[in-house]
Amino acid sequence: MTSAAPQSTLTFPRETFEKLSPHPYLLAHLQQASASSPPTRPNGRTPEQFRTPHINNGSLTHAEGSAVVRIGDTTVVCGIRGEILLASNVAGYRVDKSGTAPSTKPGYNEAEELDLLVPNIELATGCSPAFLPGQPPSTLVQSLSTRIYSLLHSSSLVNGADLRIWYQPPDLSDPDRMRDDEEEDTPEPEVKAFWTLYVDILFISLDGNPFDAAWAAVLSALKDVRLPKAYWDPDREMILCDDSVAESKKLQLNGLPIAVTALVFRAKEAAQSKDKRFWILVDPDTFEETLCDESVTVVVDGEKETKILGISKAGGTTVGSGQMRDIMELAAKRSAQLSRILNT
Amino acid sequence: MTNATASSAILSHLHRADGSATFSQNGYTVIGAVNGPIEVQRRDELPVEAAIDVIVRPAAGVGGTRERHLESILQSTLRQIILIHNFPRTLIQVTLQITNTPEDKVAGSKIVQASSHLAILPTLLQTALLALLSASMPLSVIFTSVLIAAHKDGAITSLTPNPSLVGFESADSVHVLAFTLEGKLLLAESQGTFTLDDWDNILEMAGSVCVPKDGADIEGGVRIEETKEDMTTFVKCTLEAKVAQDLHWYT
């Protein structure tokens, strides 16, 4: 130091301010609101503003269905592959209609019992400096794949009937015989196999909000799935698939649930402080995620009147019933926007 | 309340841990142990606060992705109530071992491990809290949690706090809610199909199960007859009994 006199002003460029003191940096941005302009986040969005999604379907040729979803700098590839699970390989599988069969239990979900939907998430692709390739799966990855798994099942998005492969045994009884006894008519069709869908989700780049992007990719890929016509060949005793595209079938999805994540940014980091101001930031990026404790994810299906398929909120006490209503309104808007893109 | 859903707790029964608790509720039993503040590994060290490490071990087998998810929920919740800024550059370790899960009567269905993660969550949360209290860990506030199953029957939605396993699996939606002592919503995890109005009702009911009646401002004067005493009273009574037992020589 050449001079001992204190500098009158200490100025930094934006980037230095951001690195040195991230919390005041974000706070300074949000506090700038005047009557004319709403508060703006460092990434230029208002707190209620989502990033524009881009979706591209069917990019992977060898998958039954695939999607690339890009939301800001978060890019996800989802590929779905179908494999066949023979009913004879399922331990203790019974198709009888008696009351003791597990399939008659209330709340029975065949896809869940037989693990017909297998999601897996890969973050160690070099998508972000926080996740290095070649390391064991991080907590975030495991947590995300559990959330995708439970949402796939609790929303019963995939129709269990679409995954069954039926076989109608031919009627071998004597055609000349008079049909005098009603009981012995055509044999019942039986389930010979199931489709198992392997849902692989790869993050190409990650800039916040991994769950929303991953779920949008899963949804879009499931909409894209075409399963070939599969049938049981009794002579070879195996399942064969038909080559023709015309015979292949799309999945019938139940509704179109959209996940929306919002974070709560508090003016003071310590919970005990007097300053109780907070901002709800939707669709956060990585920088915002490092500064907020409380996160709220809602899954809404806006096709009919807005149904909620899941709420998960943790890490704080700011969001109560009132704030949840605000978030739901934002989620309904986002849901409308995303389903327009998904349905085209 | 039937016997199966009644809660019971034992405090400070593991002598080598700083704090411990066993809590049973709804057919689930969890042993919790708390150690801390202890030395932290260099890479986990946080300069201005204590690192919280939660380990969940299932009743059978090794933990999988489901346990990691539960751990991350517990970790972010406990961070809010432990005064972590009092112990910078240390570690507070919470270990939770599930020892008992309700038996599935129906043969042929999968083991409980594969079922939803929500059923066990309230028991884990409550055990963690009791173990932290047993370790005399400074907390900003205590919380209580409850599991609620909602069954839809036409236009009427019936709510059951602490449902049985069958009630849980047949429910249209299941909800785990945790409230602080002041009645603020600390944690909410919901699955299934419901509407926002249903959720508000569930919130109100959960509040009445968790938080004492006089201190609750979220309760709108609705009496719910299923529960005679709320969870906060249960925690209080458990602690009072333990303190009285430990200080029996004093009087």
Side-chain angles (χ1 to χ4, degrees):
Chain A
M1 277 288 166
T2 49
S3 97
Q7 279 183 296
S8 56
T9 54
L10 190 60
T11 53
F12 298 121
R14 268 171 62 105
E15 295 75 24
T16 316
F17 186 18
E18 179 182 347
K19 290 247 160 34
L20 275 179
S21 58
H23 192 274
Y25 176 74
L26 181 49
L27 184 62
H29 272 275
L30 292 170
Q31 271 178 336
Q32 272 178 343
S34 60
S36 56
S37 68
T40 316
R41 303 195 241 167
N43 48 29
R45 289 185 277 152
T46 60
E48 298 89 38
Q49 196 179 350
F50 294 90
R51 293 177 281 188
T52 321
H54 302 275
I55 296 177
N56 187 23
N57 280 335
S59 321
L60 309 180
T61 45
H62 289 276
E64 263 69 51
S66 66
V68 181
V69 170
R70 184 168 163 228
I71 297 176
D73 281 340
T74 302
T75 312
V76 191
V77 183
C78 177
I80 296 181
R81 297 220 342 115
E83 287 187 18
I84 287 166
L85 168 74
L86 288 177
S88 57
N89 289 350
V90 179
Y93 180 74
R94 287 178 302 184
V95 284
D96 53 341
K97 300 280 181 286
S98 69
T100 56
S103 52
T104 57
K105 204 171 56 148
Y108 177 79
N109 185 341
E110 190 171 70
E112 188 168 2
E113 291 292 324
L114 302 179
D115 272 328
L116 298 183
L117 299 169
V118 189
N120 185 44
I121 294 193
E122 189 62 76
L123 269 179
T125 51
C127 63
S128 125
F131 305 99
L132 298 174
Q135 291 197 337
S138 62
T139 310
L140 177 65
V141 176
Q142 300 195 36
S143 182
L144 279 176
S145 74
T146 309
R147 288 169 70 190
I148 297 275
Y149 175 88
S150 50
L151 185 54
L152 268 176
H153 288 303
S154 72
S155 64
S156 44
L157 184 61
V158 178
N159 204 337
D162 282 349
L163 300 177
R164 293 196 198 118
I165 298 168
W166 290 90
Y167 169 62
Q168 171 75 59
D171 192 356
L172 298 174
S173 57
D174 190 2
D176 300 334
R177 202 181 54 179
M178 289 297 290
R179 301 189 58 108
D180 48 354
D181 45 351
E182 242 80 303
E183 295 95 63
E184 205 197 315
D185 43 11
T186 51
E188 293 258 314
E190 51 182 310
V191 178
K192 276 294 184 187
F194 301 94
W195 281 107
T196 305
L197 299 181
Y198 287 86
V199 181
D200 284 298
I201 303 154
L202 246 95
F203 276 81
I204 294 180
S205 74
L206 175 59
D207 185 24
N209 209 355
F211 183 72
D212 291 10
W215 181 250
V218 169
L219 199 60
S220 188
L222 279 173
K223 281 180 79 75
D224 186 51
V225 164
R226 265 190 179 280
L227 291 176
K229 186 191 180 220
Y231 56 94
W232 173 257
D233 190 313
D235 299 329
R236 280 188 270 190
E237 295 208 316
M238 62 194 290
I239 299 280
L240 297 178
C241 288
D242 205 316
D243 267 340
S244 77
V245 181
E247 289 281 344
S248 68
K249 249 190 357 188
K250 287 211 156 204
L251 293 177
Q252 297 294 315
L253 300 186
N254 295 326
L256 200 66
I258 304 285
V260 174
T261 300
L263 291 184
V264 179
F265 176 73
R266 282 197 305 226
K268 279 286 173 334
E269 286 171 283
Q272 288 79 24
S273 73
K274 294 275 188 298
D275 197 347
K276 298 280 186 218
R277 284 174 305 159
F278 66 90
W279 288 267
I280 288 173
L281 312 175
V282 298
D283 195 9
D285 60 20
T286 302
F287 172 69
E288 288 156 355
E289 278 180 345
T290 55
L291 297 172
C292 304
D293 285 336
E294 186 168 359
S295 85
V296 183
T297 301
V298 295
V299 182
V300 293
D301 190 346
E303 275 195 3
K304 294 129 216 168
E305 79 280 11
T306 308
K307 272 192 308 180
I308 308 172
L309 293 165
I311 292 179
S312 109
K313 169 206 127 78
T317 54
T318 315
V319 173
S321 184
Q323 285 80 18
M324 196 59 95
R325 281 191 182 269
D326 299 345
I327 294 173
M328 285 297 166
E329 264 174 44
L330 293 170
K333 269 187 220 149
R334 174 66 160 185
S335 167
Q337 182 196 17
L338 257 179
S339 39
R340 255 201 319 278
I341 298 174
L342 283 165
N343 284 325
T344 47
Chain B
M1 259 206 224
T2 60
N3 243 351
T5 62
S7 318
S8 69
I10 313 166
L11 285 184
S12 306
H13 56 307
L14 306 178
H15 301 295
R16 303 294 296 272
D18 288 342
S20 57
T22 293
F23 179 68
S24 312
Q25 186 186 42
N26 219 1
Y28 290 98
T29 305
V30 178
I31 303 179
V34 169
N35 283 301
I38 52 176
E39 199 183 340
V40 61
Q41 274 193 12
R42 199 63 172 278
R43 58 170 183 180
D44 299 329
E45 186 178 293
L46 301 171
V48 294
E49 58 183 51
I52 311 274
D53 186 19
V54 183
I55 301 160
V56 174
R57 303 267 309 166
V62 290
T65 55
R66 194 181 73 123
E67 276 70 29
R68 294 294 95 71
H69 182 48
L70 287 170
E71 283 168 11
S72 65
I73 294 175
L74 283 160
Q75 199 259 357
S76 66
T77 307
L78 295 180
R79 262 199 74 206
Q80 295 299 313
I81 64 149
I82 301 174
L83 294 173
I84 44 176
H85 294 282
N86 289 8
F87 308 102
R89 303 173 57 217
T90 57
L91 174 74
I92 295 164
Q93 192 176 46
V94 182
T95 314
L96 299 163
Q97 167 75 57
I98 301 165
T99 54
N100 201 12
T101 53
E103 262 176 63
D104 201 341
K105 295 284 189 306
V106 191
S109 75
K110 287 209 301 193
I111 48 168
V112 184
Q113 167 144 24
S115 74
S116 163
H117 62 272
L118 290 188
I120 185 80
L121 188 55
T123 317
L124 288 172
L125 282 164
Q126 218 59 63
T127 315
L129 177 77
L130 288 171
L132 284 168
L133 288 168
S134 153
S136 306
M137 191 63 66
L139 306 177
S140 62
V141 71
I142 67 161
F143 65 85
T144 46
S145 60
V146 69
L147 173 73
I148 289 186
H151 292 80
K152 239 181 221 140
D153 188 14
I156 307 145
T157 310
S158 63
L159 306 176
T160 328
N162 297 322
S164 64
L165 190 63
V166 177
F168 176 80
E169 285 184 343
S170 61
D172 290 298
S173 61
V174 286
H175 312 262
V176 174
L177 298 135
F179 293 88
T180 63
L181 199 55
E182 304 106 72
K184 281 187 178 163
L185 182 64
L186 180 63
L187 173 98
E189 291 277 331
S190 303
Q191 262 183 14
T193 313
F194 53 100
T195 64
L196 199 52
D197 292 333
D198 290 344
W199 195 74
D200 279 342
N201 291 337
I202 289 158
L203 206 63
E204 195 175 286
M205 178 186 212
S208 71
V209 176
C210 287
V211 190
K213 303 264 188 284
D214 48 6
D217 41 351
I218 48 161
E219 205 204 0
V222 188
R223 283 267 166 266
I224 289 135
E225 59 282 342
E226 272 99 331
T227 48
K228 271 123 205 127
E229 64 175 29
D230 53 83
M231 281 305 296
T232 310
T233 316
F234 171 78
V235 173
K236 222 182 236 170
C237 290
T238 311
L239 284 172
E240 274 169 2
K242 177 69 184 162
V243 170
Q245 190 195 340
D246 287 354
L247 292 180
H248 69 98
W249 53 270
Y250 188 70
T251 46

